């Protein structure tokens, strides 16, 4: 089995994945949402200190699970990029120590590739039969929308080592814009699930009232690119123009209107991607990343996929946000290729390497 470590942002997580059949044997994750919530975003120094405390705590639990016998671990995998330097380093230090202690090789994993491989996590830790039927490998070529706190990208995967970047955000990411709007509204962190639930409540409580309306970003721009900072600022101005504190109805209306414009922007750009002559033969499309948990976005994109006859692939909701199980799923592919990094050469990087995405 492979022990994988994730600490690129605010989740400390470890997993064990079987090398034989890629099933997830064990998974543990401690999030730091509460600690960062009062700041309305992640404070890197706090995140780093919490990883330093929590990674050893969860390693202890993993050892108990294995009855203190780590001999079945054949490699250690760790996220080394992209992410926050001060948190990535905590995971890498633990990985190096484990490699030296167990005399096993090190696998350095790109976190974004991890999100892509969240699609094939075969979860033997749950009762869910459906996850055990997950594919051992991904359909290829595969179009991918990656929506997280740090990235909004369309990627096209041709094979394990060839993933091209088709489109990205010019400024903020999709998830980040939810976090910022939640901060303006004083809702806490992470903003995505909070905004989504206030929007849902508004739509349920006021089915006949239209929500606040915000411009859809880059509406008349035919380029494959994203932008969220203009929308974010339009929402900020709308909040400032309302009488404070906001009524529950205004709060819900802002959340619903913002979510609608942000998702409409994504759907329009994915439609452009599907209309591209080079993409017309593409049969498979996936949405991954923490923000792919958004139901409104999932529904809108599944309708679009049905229209363009694309098979839509989604990760299990529990594995959309950062986790070590997805790092284990990528690590299996690296292991098959004997793609190891010498311990003294392994480094963290806040950005992806030029060779990661073409
Ligand atoms: O992938 P992830 O866990 O971390 C990064 O790699 O960045 O994504 C976290 C991001 C946060 O910005 C969070 O607000 C957003 O995903 N997110 C959502 C939802 N759930 C999480 N955004 C919109 N709607 C959601 N339901
Ligand atoms: Zn992530």
């Amino acid at each position: 089995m492979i022990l994988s470590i994730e600490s690129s942002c605010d989740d400390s997580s470890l997993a064990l994945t079987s090398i034989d059949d890629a099933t997830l044997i064990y998974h543990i994750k401690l999030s730091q949402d509460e600690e960062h919530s009062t700041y309305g975003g992640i404070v890197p120094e706090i995140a780093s200190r919490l990883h330093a405390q929590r990674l050893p705590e969860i390693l202890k639990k993993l050892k108990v699970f294995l009855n203190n016998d780590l001999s079945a671990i054949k490699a250690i995998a760790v996220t080394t990029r992209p992410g926050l330097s001060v948190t990535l380093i905590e995971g890498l230090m633990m990985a190096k120590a484990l490699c030296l202690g167990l005399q096993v090789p090190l696998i350095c994993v790109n976190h974004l590739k991890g999100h892509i491989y969240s699609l094939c996590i075969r979860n033997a830790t749950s009762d869910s039969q459906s996850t055990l039927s997950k594919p051992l490998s991904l359909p290829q070529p595969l179009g991918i929308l990656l929506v997280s706190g740090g990235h909004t990208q369309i990627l096209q995967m041709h094979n394990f080592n060839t993933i091209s970047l088709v489109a990205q955000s010019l400024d903020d990411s999709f998830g980040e814009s939810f976090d910022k709007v939640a901060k303006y509204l004083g809702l806490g962190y992470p903003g995505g699930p909070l905004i989504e639930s206030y929007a849902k409540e508004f739509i349920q409580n006021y089915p006949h009232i239209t929500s606040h309306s915000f411009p859809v970003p880059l509406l008349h721009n035919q380029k494959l690119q994203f932008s969220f900072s203009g929308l974010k600022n339009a929402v900020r101005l709308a909040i400032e123009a309302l009488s404070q504190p906001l009524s529950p109805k205004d709060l819900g209306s802002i959340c619903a209107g913002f979510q609608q414009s942000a998702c409409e922007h994504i759907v329009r750009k994915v439609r452009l991607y599907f209309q591209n002559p080079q993409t017309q033969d593409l049969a498979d499309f996936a949405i991954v990343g923490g923000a792919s948990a958004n139901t409104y976005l999932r529904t809108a994109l599944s309708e679009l996929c049905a229209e363009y006859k694309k098979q839509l692939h989604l990760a299990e909701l529990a594995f959309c946000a950062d986790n070590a199980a997805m790092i284990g799923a990528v690590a299996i592919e690296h292991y098959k290729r004997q793609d190891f990094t010498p311990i003294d050469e392994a480094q963290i990087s806040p950005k992806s390497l030029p060779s990661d995405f073409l």
Side-chain angles (χ1 to χ4, degrees), residues 133-337:
S133 63
K134 287 266 174 198
L136 275 168
S137 58
L138 292 169
Q140 277 151 10
L142 176 67
I144 301 155
L145 172 73
L146 168 69
V147 272
S148 69
H151 296 81
T152 303
Q153 298 179 332
I154 296 176
L155 299 163
Q156 195 156 315
M157 183 172 189
H158 308 277
N159 57 53
F160 182 68
N161 285 316
T162 318
I163 304 175
S164 46
L165 176 64
V166 178
Q168 61 183 331
S169 178
L170 299 169
D171 40 60
D172 295 347
S173 76
F174 178 77
E176 187 181 6
S177 68
F178 278 70
D179 296 334
K180 297 265 173 68
V181 168
K183 190 174 179 180
Y184 301 149
L185 292 167
L187 298 180
Y189 175 87
L194 292 162
I195 303 257
E196 181 176 7
S197 77
Y198 280 105
K200 228 177 238 168
E201 213 175 289
F202 174 83
I203 295 162
Q204 266 164 15
N205 292 346
Y206 305 100
H208 305 299
I209 299 181
T210 12
S211 64
H212 268 77
S213 161
F214 296 108
V216 175
L218 308 181
L219 190 57
H220 303 293
N221 164 327
Q222 294 300 303
K223 288 190 186 150
L224 263 178
Q225 50 193 203
F226 299 101
S227 168
F228 293 93
S229 72
L231 171 61
K232 173 189 80 181
N233 283 324
V235 176
R236 182 176 55 79
L237 294 174
I239 296 169
E240 285 170 6
L242 290 165
S243 57
Q244 310 290 328
L246 296 193
S247 66
K249 186 175 161 193
D250 278 342
L251 176 68
S253 171
I254 294 273
C255 290
F258 159 69
Q259 178 176 257
Q260 190 183 346
S261 292
C263 292
E264 174 77 27
H265 173 40
I266 298 259
V267 170
R268 280 176 180 268
K269 292 301 179 181
V270 175
R271 182 184 287 280
L272 264 186
Y273 171 62
F274 287 167
Q275 285 171 343
N276 188 319
Q278 286 168 351
T279 321
Q280 276 168 7
D281 294 339
L282 192 81
D284 295 274
F285 184 72
I287 327 171
V288 299
S292 72
N294 186 288
T295 316
Y296 190 94
L297 183 68
R298 282 184 171 223
T299 308
L301 285 172
S302 69
E303 284 167 11
L304 188 76
C305 283
E307 187 183 332
Y308 283 85
K309 304 203 171 17
K310 310 287 181 204
Q311 170 80 45
L312 179 64
H313 303 265
L314 296 163
E316 198 181 323
L317 275 179
F319 297 116
C320 288
D322 292 350
N323 64 79
M326 66 188 198
I327 305 306
V330 180
I332 294 291
E333 295 296 320
H334 284 287
Y335 189 88
K336 278 189 216 159
R337 293 164 175 79

